[in-house]
Amino acid sequence: MSVIGAYLRLARVGWVLMREGVVSALPTEGMPPLARTAHTLAGLFERRRASKEDRSDRLARAIERLGPSYVKMGQFLATRPDVVGAEIAVDLSALQDRMATFPREAAVATVEGSLGRPLDDLYVNFGDPIAAASIAQVHPATVRDATGERKVAVKVIRPGVRQRFAHDLEAMYAAARLQERMLPNTRRLKPVEVTRTLEQTTKVEMDLRLEAAALSELGENTASDPGFRVPKVDWERTGRDVVTMEWIDGIKMSDVEGLRAAGHDLDRLADTLIQSFLRHTLRDGFFHADMHQGNLFVDPEGVIVAVDMGIVGRLGKKERRFLAEILYGFITRDYQRVADVHFEAGYVPSHHDTASFAQAIRAIGEPIHGQPAETISMAKLLTLLFEVTELFDMETRTELVMLQKTMVVVEGVSRTLNPRFNMWKASEGVVGDWIRDNLGPKRLLTDLRDGAHAALRLAEAAPEIAAKAEKLSQDITSMAEKGLRFDAETAEAIGRSEARHSRSGRLALWIIAATLVYIAWKLA
C-alpha cells in the first residue's frame, strides 16, 4: 500500500505543477518528442493567472501548495544545478521559508517535552514566534543565569514535520526511480542517490542538537578569525526538538541601504565574506552550505554573524587539494594540470584523453584572462566547468556540487555589497597561503606523517586481516567445489519480494491512469 500511496502522492505533485503552470514554463530544449508532447498538453490544465506570471512565481506558488516538505526539497535542489539545470536552480534559490507560524502553545509543549522541564524553569519569558520556516520557527526569549539576564533565540521544530516528510519522501523516491527507468541519459546524475542525500540532510536538519553541534564546531574553528563568527549555543536549553542560542542584534546583509546608513564598509564586508568562506573550506574542510543573505547579519562592530546551520558541507583532504589545484591552475593558466587533477582524483573516467580534456578546460580559462578581474564571475566559471565535465562523463560529486553552489551564492552576496567585487583579488591571500602550506614542501612532510600513521594502523590490524583472508580463502574454495547456493528461506523471500513489487507497480499505474482520466473528464 505504501507504493500505491507514493504513486498517488506523485500524481498529486504532477497535478499541482501542471495547474500552477510550472510544467508548461519549463524550457523544451533537449526534450525528447514524447516529453515535448506532454509539455504541450500540460499547458491545457494550467490556471489562467499562471500564464501571466514568471516561472519563478509559478514555482513558488506550486511548492507553497505542496507543503513544507517540498519547500525543503526545493531549497535542497537549489544547491544541485547539475540535477535541475542552472535556470531552475536560480528560480529555486529565491525560494524563501515563508511558512505560516504554528501556535505558541504547541511550541511550548514541544520545548517542555524535548527538555523535560517546565517552561518557567527554562526561560524568564518566552515570546510569540517572529519567523517560521519549513522545519522550525523562532521565538525570542530571556534566560537568567549567573551572569544575569540575557536575550536568546529559541528555534522549535514544527509539530508533525517528521511524519509529513517521511510520507512525502516515498513520492520523491518513486519519482527518482521513474527518472532512472525512463530517462537513461540522466542516470549519471544519480537521482536516487540525490534523493537519499536529501533524506539524510533533512533528517540531520530535523535534529536540532546536530545544528547546535555544527554551530559549536564552526565557532571553535573561527574563534580567531577576523570579522566572522556564529552565535553561541545554550546547551542547557537545547534538545532534539529545540535549540537555544545567542540573540543577534544586527542588520541583515540583504538590507544594503541599512548597512550603508549604519556606517559599515561594504567593500570590506564583501572581501571578509568570501575570505571567511574559503578559509572554512580549505583550512577546516567544514563550511556553512546555506550562506544566503537571509542567514547573514552584521553586528554593530561590523562582524559578520552567520546563522541557521541546518545545512553544512564537508570536504576531505583530497577534495580540498582538488579545489585548490583547480583554482591555482586557472590562475597560472596551467590547463594540463587542471585536467590531470580531474583524472588523478578519478572524477573523469580514465578512458577519456587528458589532452582533449585540457583543451576543453582551456576554452573556459582563456576568455577569463582577457577580462578585467572584477568582471570575472565564479558562477559563470563553474557553470562552464560543469558543462565541460558533462561532455566527458564526469559523474556527480555531491560534496563538490554543494561547494560550487555555495561559492556562487557567497559571490553573489558579495557583489550585492560591492558591484565591482574582485573575487580573485579578495581570495588570493587565503588560497595562496593554503597552496604554499599544502601543495609545497610542507605537503611532503604532512604526507609522510599521514603515511606513517596509516602504516602503524595497518600493522595493528594485520592479525585480524590475516584471519579474514584465511576465512575468505576457505569460502572461495568451498564455493568452487559446491557452487553458490541460496538457502530455502532466502530464495522464498526473494520470490515474495518480486511478486509483491510487480503487483503493487501494476496496481499503482492503473490507479494513476484512472485518476488522470477522471480529472480530464471533470475538466471537459
Side-chain angles (χ1 to χ4, degrees), residues 386-442:
F386 173 74
E387 290 175 356
V388 167
T389 54
E390 183 179 7
L391 293 174
F392 286 82
D393 303 322
M394 178 174 169
E395 290 194 348
T396 296
R397 302 288 302 191
T398 305
E399 70 280 8
L400 294 180
V401 173
M402 183 174 287
L403 168 70
Q404 290 172 353
K405 176 61 180 177
T406 308
M407 189 178 293
V408 169
V409 170
V410 172
E411 182 194 27
V413 175
S414 295
R415 287 191 187 276
T416 62
L417 299 172
N418 175 14
R420 293 183 62 81
F421 174 68
N422 186 330
M423 170 78 177
W424 306 101
K425 183 177 180 181
S427 60
E428 182 179 3
V430 176
V431 176
D433 289 345
W434 195 90
I435 287 175
R436 280 190 294 273
D437 290 343
N438 293 273
L439 301 183
K442 288 185 179 180

Side-chain angles (χ1 to χ4, degrees), residues 87-104:
E87 293 182 9
I88 300 299
V90 171
D91 292 342
L92 290 171
S93 65
L95 190 64
Q96 299 295 318
D97 275 321
R98 292 188 294 262
M99 307 299 296
T101 61
F102 55 88
R104 179 182 180 278

Side-chain angles (χ1 to χ4, degrees), residues 102-120 122-123 126-129 137 139 154-160 162 239-243:
F102 55 88
R104 179 182 180 278
E105 292 73 21
V108 170
T110 299
V111 170
E112 293 181 337
S114 181
L115 301 181
R117 294 165 60 187
L119 190 75
D120 292 341
L122 295 163
Y123 305 99
F126 187 85
D128 292 328
Q137 69 182 23
H139 296 254
V154 185
K155 188 172 180 179
V156 185
I157 207 77
R158 184 177 288 276
R162 292 187 181 89
R240 188 186 72 151
D241 297 336
V242 56
V243 58

